[in-house]
Amino acid sequence: MLEGVKRALTRLAGSIKEKLETKEVSEEDVREALEGVEYELIDANVAYDVVERLAEELVKRAAGTRIPRGRSVEEYVKELLASSMTSLFSAGATDLAEAAASKCAKGAPYVVVFFGVNGVGKTTTIAKVAYLLKSRGISSVIAAADTFRAGAQEQLRRHAEAIGVPFIGASYGADPASVAYDAIQFARSRGLCAVLIDTAGRMHVDKDLMDELRKVVRVSKPDLKVLVVDALTGNDAVEQARQFNEGVGIDGIIVTKVDADEKGGVLVSVSAVTGKPILYIGTGQRYEDLERLRPEEFVRNLLS
Ligand code: GDP
């Protein structure tokens, strides 16, 4: 898992270490150390401008420094790299279960709208979130506001049944915003704590889709807007993050299929290009395969 980025970072650490061993490093040294590694990082799905940002962060931290007394070069370089990498991630990821419980305690349901292109694992992810909430004793309802994909309705209904949470569906072509609205009313009338709303995600992200999604947002006034992207789609995932963030505005990202991702760059890039935190990662096909991502811990693992 994530071997591509790991390999590139190990090589980068090696070349900075070589320079630091003999002298104070200059900006030039850092840039030189990055040469070659830059391509490895891009190859591992790190977006080009994110590689640039990493270079800048490294220069800021490393240029003009020497190894502090009593410190091993290796340790020092690792620290430089770790803090540069960590700075690429946005902090402040909402703990969905906590946020839902706290809003529910005030007597209103916590509304989450999920965006994402078809096939990224959005339906499965919504089911995982419902499962997570349920396992913490937080009630929810799943709403299928993708009214053009019969398959999505059916799939979500089956997930809802399997997990044991109510499901609000709609007939083909119904207004997605009204499905979202109905689900919120349903949650209010039954005192449910969370409303999880699926939306349409055509392959080709276009203006009509964005208009439709903006309407769902206007009507449902979500507490959290979540984009789901697939780690295996590389640069497409990064582009989707950019487009959805510009088009509807997102609060956080869930990256799926991390268990099958040999590269790792999508995880490093999506947060950096949007400035929004990664809320969870999908690590398998079972309902329980949803984990928090803690940037510091994640980066430490990449560098270990
Ligand atoms: P949607 O079209 O975006 O709703 O995608 P689905 O939820 O139907 O998921 C597409 C496929 O990806 C399914 O076979 C899921 O089991 C699989 N999938 C979703 N999330 C993960 C994950 O985190 N890891 C793995 N390995 N597979 C996943």
Side-chain angles (χ1 to χ4, degrees):
M1 212 163 107
L2 316 176
E3 286 310 317
V5 170
K6 268 190 199 170
R7 249 195 323 270
L9 290 179
T10 307
R11 200 149 87 82
L12 180 57
S15 22
I16 297 178
K17 179 170 168 259
E18 244 169 53
K19 297 183 193 291
L20 259 173
E21 254 161 1
T22 51
K23 60 179 174 64
E24 185 178 289
V25 277
S26 64
E27 172 166 352
E28 184 130 292
D29 289 331
V30 178
R31 300 237 173 242
E32 237 171 61
L34 268 157
E35 262 171 39
V37 178
E38 283 179 329
Y39 295 104
E40 254 178 77
L41 286 168
I42 289 167
D43 203 41
N45 285 340
V46 182
Y48 179 78
D49 41 341
V50 176
V51 174
E52 287 293 294
R53 271 207 20 214
L54 176 64
E56 249 133 61
E57 293 294 336
L58 255 183
V59 166
K60 203 161 79 188
R61 289 172 169 80
T65 63
R66 274 176 175 284
I67 322 230
R69 241 175 212 287
R71 298 282 295 283
S72 84
V73 201
E74 197 152 345
E75 225 178 77
Y76 182 61
V77 171
K78 242 185 207 176
E79 237 165 67
L80 287 175
L81 257 180
S83 65
S84 307
M85 287 290 294
T86 309
S87 75
L88 299 176
F89 289 87
S90 255
T94 304
D95 180 320
L96 226 149
E98 255 171 40
S102 128
K103 180 139 187 238
C104 192
K106 291 181 198 136
Y110 188 75
V111 178
V112 188
V113 175
F114 293 84
F115 307 116
V117 164
N118 294 340
V120 297
K122 184 158 44 103
T123 325
T124 311
T125 300
I126 294 170
K128 287 177 177 181
V129 171
Y131 179 86
L132 167 83
L133 293 176
K134 189 169 186 191
S135 67
R136 301 256 208 111
I138 300 163
S139 55
S140 68
V141 52
I142 293 178
D146 177 354
T147 58
F148 284 97
R149 212 165 47 125
Q153 295 264 335
E154 198 36 50
Q155 213 171 332
L156 268 177
R157 181 193 307 280
R158 267 188 270 124
H159 281 308
E161 267 170 29
I163 299 163
V165 301
F167 169 80
I168 302 286
S171 51
Y172 179 82
D175 178 12
S178 79
V179 180
Y181 184 81
D182 288 349
I184 295 168
Q185 291 309 106
F186 179 87
R188 281 187 197 283
S189 68
R190 316 248 161 147
L192 299 176
C193 281
V195 184
L196 310 176
I197 302 169
D198 183 28
T199 60
R202 295 183 278 280
M203 244 350 194
H204 188 72
V205 178
D206 55 18
K207 184 173 170 299
D208 285 350
L209 175 65
M210 285 302 164
D211 285 345
E212 175 184 323
L213 299 180
R214 275 193 289 265
K215 186 173 174 199
V216 172
V217 167
R218 224 165 35 238
V219 170
S220 64
K221 299 184 184 65
D223 297 284
L224 196 70
K225 289 173 284 175
V226 177
L227 176 69
V228 183
V229 297
D230 175 347
L232 302 181
T233 62
N235 210 40
D236 281 351
V238 180
E239 265 321 298
Q240 288 158 16
R242 251 193 258 270
Q243 286 179 348
F244 277 89
N245 194 38
E246 280 165 18
V248 277
I250 56 173
D251 301 309
I253 304 163
I254 297 182
V255 182
T256 63
K257 308 182 198 175
V258 172
D259 52 305
D261 180 16
E262 296 293 326
K263 299 194 165 188
V266 166
L267 279 177
V268 180
S269 303
V270 284
S271 183
V273 301
T274 56
K276 301 294 156 60
I278 293 176
L279 304 171
Y280 294 93
I281 56 174
T283 55
Q285 295 186 299
R286 299 169 313 163
Y287 291 140
E288 52 268 54
D289 296 329
L290 188 72
E291 296 174 21
R292 295 295 298 274
L293 179 103
R294 292 180 174 79
E296 276 176 28
E297 202 176 295
F298 172 72
V299 168
R300 217 181 310 125
N301 278 338
L302 280 181
L303 291 168
S304 66

